[in-house]
Amino acid sequence: MQDSIESAIDIILKSKFAIVFTGAGISVESGIPPFRGEKGLWNKYDPDALDLNNFHLNPFDAWKVIKEIFYDFFQDSKPNDAHLVIAELEQLGIIKAVITQNIDNLHYEAGSKVVYEFHGNSRKLVCPYCGKKVLAAEIDLSNVPLCESCHAVLKPDFIFFGEGIPEDAYRNSVNVSQNADLVIIIGSTGEVVPAASMPQLAKQYGAKIIEVNPEKTLFTDSITDIYLKGKAAEIMNKLLIGIKQKI
Ligand code: NAD
């Protein structure tokens, strides 16, 4: 395994179909904590709030936690340099797609166009019965939100424990993973499946793997070719500067 920015830049510039795979770590510098780890949200909140059965049985209790985590402070977060660099690399024609496990909408806000949201998106709420979707920002969340049409309790449009991956996101993610010759993994432990199987699939189909993370992960000693130890924004900025000097 190599660990240099220079080698990573060379591999990125040689790639024909580079994709990015992101986890909660890329948004830490936007002020959104990850779920796992020392400062993770599961040290403060009960993950049962995101259990589908629990949500249907106790929607009022579940919504209290959901509102606090995903709407009181996710809502105001802004993309950081790592999101912005990815969008710029897409504009330069280097990155073809982003597969993200994140539900914070920050890749779109940064300007990325081809984004597959493996776990959905928190900016919308969906009615579990009629399927109607509404923007969370337009709803008063001080009370449990109800569907205008059928009065069912609305659910955030991201997947809860016990729910399947959105079909389009899954199909598109598999497709780009099979076609990628390079995956840049940023800020993911590799512990959440089936998301973590996307970089593994790409590796089986011959892709090189560059990984950006301050800590080693399940990917690092198994599929990673180049491990860039550090925070997402700093490393992605270094990569962008190096790439721009060479193109
Ligand atoms: P994860 O697999 O997403 O892991 C977080 C990783 O980020 C860790 O490996 C950690 O070392 C790394 N990291 C921390 N700071 C970083 C930084 N500055 N730069 C780069 N990497 C950094 O695990 P999780 O937090 O348990 O999340 C599990 C799932 O929960 C995610 O896949 C996602 O669906 C959801 N989630 C989403 C968000 C979000 O939308 N921003 C936040 C929390 C959790």
Side-chain angles (χ1 to χ4, degrees):
M1 201 194 333
Q2 305 168 63
D3 62 357
S4 86
I5 294 274
E6 282 308 311
S7 322
I9 291 167
D10 287 344
I11 292 180
I12 293 170
L13 287 172
K14 277 188 199 133
S15 70
K16 304 256 178 297
F17 199 98
I19 64 171
V20 173
F21 175 81
T22 61
I26 192 172
S27 297
V28 167
E29 289 160 276
S30 293
I32 303 177
F35 282 163
R36 290 171 177 70
E38 211 183 310
K39 294 184 184 152
L41 289 167
W42 295 152
N43 289 327
K44 187 170 171 202
Y45 296 100
D46 184 352
D48 265 2
L50 297 188
D51 178 274
L52 195 59
N53 286 332
N54 184 57
F55 178 79
H56 288 308
L57 286 172
N58 304 302
F60 292 87
D61 291 341
W63 255 109
K64 265 188 221 151
V65 178
I66 291 167
K67 175 178 177 289
E68 198 172 316
I69 301 180
F70 297 102
Y71 299 99
D72 290 349
F73 64 80
F74 261 45
Q75 201 82 356
D76 296 328
S77 54
K78 296 276 172 285
N80 64 56
D81 277 4
H83 299 99
L84 296 169
V85 167
I86 292 169
E88 191 165 347
L89 291 176
E90 185 190 58
Q91 263 188 350
L92 290 170
I94 293 172
I95 283 170
K96 308 294 187 214
V98 179
I99 302 172
T100 187
Q101 300 173 80
N102 295 343
I103 55 175
D104 55 26
N105 205 44
L106 294 184
H107 286 296
Y108 281 123
E109 282 177 42
S112 287
K113 302 278 185 259
V114 186
V115 182
Y116 302 129
E117 293 176 308
F118 213 81
H119 295 157
N121 189 311
S122 63
R123 302 287 154 122
K124 284 190 183 152
L125 307 182
V126 61
C127 172
Y129 294 98
C130 72
K132 189 171 173 179
K133 294 190 185 187
V134 289
L135 280 174
E138 291 172 1
I139 300 283
D140 174 12
L141 293 177
S142 53
N143 296 311
V144 169
L146 300 178
C147 175
E148 268 185 358
S149 313
C150 56
H151 307 292
V153 175
L154 293 171
K155 176 189 159 296
D157 195 18
F158 56 75
I159 62 163
F160 280 29
F161 299 124
E163 279 192 284
I165 306 302
E167 235 173 76
D168 279 2
Y170 185 79
R171 201 181 38 251
N172 288 321
S173 299
V174 168
N175 183 31
V176 292
S177 299
Q178 289 175 337
N179 283 301
D181 57 2
L182 171 63
V183 184
I184 306 174
I185 303 174
I186 307 171
S188 173
T189 54
E191 286 173 23
V192 180
V193 285
S197 61
M198 294 300 117
Q200 285 160 355
L201 179 67
K203 181 78 174 183
Q204 281 161 19
Y205 274 72
K208 290 252 184 281
I209 309 287
I210 295 171
E211 186 181 8
V212 180
N213 200 311
E215 308 291 337
K216 282 192 166 190
T217 71
L218 291 183
F219 298 119
T220 318
D221 292 321
S222 55
I223 61 168
T224 297
D225 296 293
I226 298 188
Y227 172 49
L228 302 175
K229 184 175 171 64
K231 292 184 178 177
E234 180 198 343
I235 301 279
M236 293 310 289
N237 269 328
K238 283 187 184 166
L239 289 176
L240 182 66
I241 291 167
I243 287 167
K244 280 183 162 172
Q245 282 168 351
K246 291 194 175 181
I247 52 176

